[in-house]
Amino acid sequence: MTAETDACIFCDIVRGQAGSNMVYENDVVAAFMDTSPVTPGHVLVVPRQHCAYLEDVRAEVGAEMFRVAHRLARALRRSGLRCEGVNMFLADGEAAFQEVLHCHLHVFPRFDGDSFRIDADWQRVPLQQLEAPAQQLRNGLELLS
């Protein structure tokens, strides 16, 4: 164990050293109720191995996180909880409002009048204005190869 995992509440939860309402677990991920839920039924899906950010998550672990989140989203619609839609939300880094530095995927039911909001200034821009950032992203992808 490292000092990083010693201080991580999600690591404590997956090791069974902190209380939780576990919903699902396997050898790769665990899913448990969020103690600050947006709506009733709000679940977090986390890798068992400590990974602070999405970049630290191995691709196969990320795929398993999404598979489990997909199954939980389907379960929410059948659970009897109020669920007119489902959001999956992953905040990667402090600037993106990540509060616990252990990568986690939020899965929560949505319904008319709930309190969750994402406030942004969504503006349509011409395609030509998107070419420069698109090229920068393509360059970033090349650097990963």
Side-chain angles (χ1 to χ4, degrees):
M1 255 184 286
T2 66
E4 192 172 60
T5 60
D6 284 343
C8 177
I9 186 62
F10 290 172
C11 287
D12 289 345
I13 289 171
V14 298
R15 287 193 302 256
Q17 297 172 337
S20 71
N21 296 98
M22 194 66 64
V23 175
Y24 176 85
E25 56 187 323
N26 63 28
D27 293 341
V28 180
V29 302
F32 48 88
M33 302 307 290
D34 192 317
T35 58
S36 298
V38 171
T39 56
H42 186 158
V43 180
L44 302 177
V45 180
V46 306
R48 286 190 161 282
Q49 182 177 27
H50 184 80
C51 300
Y53 303 105
L54 183 59
E55 181 172 354
D56 303 325
V57 177
R58 291 188 336 264
E60 60 274 10
V61 174
E64 183 64 10
M65 288 174 68
F66 190 82
R67 273 193 291 277
V68 169
H70 176 257
R71 186 168 173 84
L72 289 166
R74 293 178 64 219
L76 281 169
R77 291 185 177 274
R78 292 160 176 78
S79 68
L81 291 163
R82 187 169 180 195
C83 182
E84 298 165 10
V86 176
N87 268 133
M88 292 186 197
F89 182 79
L90 193 147
D92 187 37
E94 294 88 347
F97 306 110
Q98 182 179 2
E99 294 178 2
V100 176
L101 295 182
H102 183 125
C103 186
H104 54 287
L105 179 57
H106 297 258
V107 182
F108 52 94
R110 298 296 310 276
F111 50 84
D112 188 41
D114 70 34
S115 64
F116 185 71
R117 301 288 175 270
I118 295 178
D119 188 25
D121 187 15
W122 306 93
Q123 295 180 6
R124 179 151 321 274
V125 298
L127 282 176
Q128 59 269 26
Q129 288 182 19
L130 298 174
E131 184 50 38
Q135 185 57 52
Q136 288 178 285
L137 185 53
R138 289 189 289 266
N139 295 343
L141 286 168
E142 283 184 27
L143 292 173
L144 295 175
S145 301

